[in-house]
Amino acid sequence: PLLAARGAGGYAVSMMSVVGESDAEEAVPAGSVSAILLAGGVGKRMGAAIPKQYLELRGRAIATYSMTTFAAMPQIGELVVVCNPEWRNVFDDVYATLPEEQKKPLVYALPGKERQDSVFNGLSAARADAGLVAIHDTARPVIRPVDAAQCMADAMETGAAVLGVPVKPTIKEVGEDGRVVRTLNRSLLWEVQTPQCIRPGLLKEGFDLVARENLEVTDDVSIIEAMGLPVKVTPGSYSNLKITTPDDLIAAEQFLDLEA
């Protein structure tokens, strides 16, 4: 059965099966996942004086919401935060308030020039024996643990998985002259989110390929796709929005109310 809760704008918030939550937890050994939390972006579209992930959402920096969510998940064995050093205190302060059992090892890595460089730095800082890495944009504060757990379980089985939701609007391909080339089949299109969960060995092989062929990728599982390997799309939630504009802050507050 699908969860039919309604969120901002009346959209279905989650497509996950409630029944499958415990199964997803059992599929991933406790402490076997390193969460790589990306918090080094600039966020120019927000038009704020500071990076968007450090803006306050109900009295807390946006970036800290996903940190506390992952810290509470039994599958997570460590937290790798990729951020500029001047922002580490934001995470340190919230980490200090966590219950002792949720204080997973916390390590930091420096952001790179591009997203893929930041992911590489986070992967390099993660512990060598992790079964999976779960790469998450901290500008997505309303990640649901049940969705993340299922994505991890799918990655354990497939090697790589990413949360996603079916696109809602009609999508058209448009030529340089501004005319419609074709209308894409909406039933086949998914908007991917994070976390993107990957076996570390696969991701390291993928980065070797990226370096050899000088590839540029915009998300993490694209590296696995470039290797010709399968990627599972795990149905997620529309509430897992990425905050890029002021309107997104309002929507995130509404979704937080629903999750409370």
Side-chain angles (χ1 to χ4, degrees):
L2 299 180
L3 187 63
R6 296 281 159 177
Y11 297 120
V13 172
S14 179
M15 300 164 53
M16 278 292 304
S17 168
V18 176
V19 177
E21 183 171 3
S22 61
D23 292 338
E25 287 188 6
E26 292 174 3
V28 182
S32 65
V33 181
S34 293
I36 298 177
L37 305 176
L38 303 179
V42 177
K44 295 179 181 178
R45 281 177 288 180
M46 180 63 75
I50 62 175
K52 62 189 176 187
Q53 62 271 25
Y54 299 112
L55 295 173
E56 284 198 356
L57 177 62
R58 299 210 166 161
R60 283 177 52 185
I62 290 168
T64 64
Y65 279 87
S66 53
M67 183 183 78
T68 56
T69 296
F70 282 105
M73 295 182 65
Q75 299 92 334
I76 300 300
E78 72 171 341
L79 304 166
V80 181
V81 176
V82 183
C83 71
N84 287 305
E86 61 263 33
W87 295 105
R88 290 180 181 178
N89 65 295
V90 172
F91 299 96
D92 288 338
D93 290 347
V94 173
Y95 183 84
T97 68
L98 293 175
E100 287 302 316
E101 67 274 11
Q102 294 181 15
K103 287 184 177 178
K104 316 293 173 65
L106 172 63
V107 298
Y108 289 99
L110 293 174
K113 181 180 178 181
E114 304 293 342
R115 176 199 168 88
Q116 66 194 52
D117 303 316
S118 294
V119 173
F120 179 82
N121 292 348
L123 177 64
S124 300
R127 70 179 203 229
D129 63 344
L132 287 175
V133 290
I135 304 158
H136 187 68
D137 290 324
T138 59
R140 296 183 185 271
V142 201
I143 174 63
R144 301 177 71 243
V146 63
D147 294 341
Q150 186 60 54
C151 190
M152 294 172 196
D154 288 343
M156 277 290 186
E157 180 180 351
T158 307
V162 55
L163 281 182
V165 290
V167 300
K168 291 178 288 196
T170 297
I171 307 294
K172 295 184 183 290
E173 181 180 341
V174 179
E176 293 182 359
D177 60 359
R179 297 183 180 181
V180 172
V181 175
R182 58 176 174 151
T183 300
L184 302 180
N185 185 348
R186 185 172 57 186
S187 68
L188 300 177
L189 300 177
W190 287 65
E191 177 186 349
V192 297
Q193 305 174 336
T194 64
Q196 303 197 7
C197 302
I198 307 170
R199 292 178 190 160
L202 283 182
L203 189 53
K204 289 174 183 176
E205 290 179 28
F207 273 118
D208 288 341
L209 175 66
V210 167
R212 285 197 311 271
E213 301 192 8
N214 196 29
L215 301 177
E216 287 190 15
V217 292
T218 56
D219 74 339
D220 316 305
V221 294
S222 293
I223 297 174
I224 308 305
E225 295 169 39
M227 298 169 66
L229 297 176
V231 174
K232 175 70 180 290
V233 177
T234 304
S237 306
Y238 289 103
S239 58
N240 186 24
L241 80 168
K242 184 174 183 179
I243 294 180
T244 56
T245 68
D247 287 345
D248 294 331
L249 280 170
I250 297 171
E253 287 195 353
Q254 293 175 329
F255 285 130
L256 286 172
D257 284 340
L258 287 169
E259 296 297 328

